[in-house]
Amino acid sequence: MATATYPPPPPYYRLYKDYLENPNSAPEPPPPIEGTYTCFGGNYTTDDVLPSLEDQGVRQLYPKGPNVDFKKELRSLNGELLLHILELTDILVDRPSQYARRVEDISLIFKNMHHLLNSLRPHQARATLIHILENQIENRKQAVEDIKRRRAEAQKLLAESLGTLNGQ
């Protein structure tokens, strides 16, 4: 019984047979997907929009609106989280059967903190991109300076060698 190690290539590989002689003979790539699409049974969208907590069925603990002070709200939620964890430890010691409500409150605080942090992701991506581009510019400037220095060294060596040849 013979089995193939790899499956055969897809039939559209034949469309690229003349690519080396004529690179324009290959078909154009398909256009980007816009809107919603299905992948492995799940529906996805190409819009990168962070759903609100209400859309996810979670109560929002910080003020709504575009002018949210993320630092202040995260500190507030963090303090609230610490308080709820301390209350949970007290409840676990005194009344162990009543812990479920505190765990739900802690879960709600974590979800709100997570949502706040996720809403900062676009800013983080921009800052990271700016940092990467600044590093690239600095590296290129250093490379140019290195080339200039090596060029000056080469010119100096050529001048010395010409002086030595002319001196003979």
Side-chain angles (χ1 to χ4, degrees), residues 78-164:
N78 191 36
E80 198 172 329
L81 176 67
L82 292 174
L83 176 69
H84 278 77
I85 288 175
L86 286 174
E87 288 177 359
L88 176 64
T89 56
D90 287 342
I91 287 176
L92 286 174
V93 169
D94 297 337
R95 306 174 299 278
S97 62
Q98 300 176 357
Y99 73 94
R101 185 172 149 259
R102 290 293 172 206
V103 171
E104 289 174 8
D105 291 344
I106 290 171
S107 175
L108 177 66
I109 294 170
F110 271 125
K111 287 176 183 174
N112 274 267
M113 290 176 79
H114 195 260
H115 190 266
L116 270 174
L117 291 172
N118 278 340
S119 50
L120 289 173
R121 296 287 181 214
H123 174 71
Q124 178 190 17
R126 277 190 301 276
T128 302
L129 184 60
I130 289 169
H131 179 70
I132 288 170
L133 292 174
E134 287 173 348
N135 282 344
Q136 287 179 355
I137 290 171
E138 185 62 33
N139 290 341
R140 289 179 182 173
K141 284 180 180 178
Q142 287 176 355
V144 167
E145 289 301 319
D146 188 44
I147 289 170
K148 286 180 181 178
R149 184 178 51 80
R150 290 177 188 265
R151 179 179 162 250
E153 289 174 4
Q155 285 178 339
K156 180 182 171 190
L157 286 172
L158 282 172
E160 287 175 4
S161 60
L162 279 175
T164 305

Side-chain angles (χ1 to χ4, degrees), residues 13-39:
Y13 81 94
R14 292 183 189 96
L15 298 173
Y16 298 90
K17 66 181 176 186
D18 297 329
Y19 182 76
L20 292 177
E21 293 84 32
N22 183 10
N24 295 330
S25 67
E28 291 291 320
I33 298 173
E34 293 183 14
T36 59
Y37 61 95
T38 303
C39 182

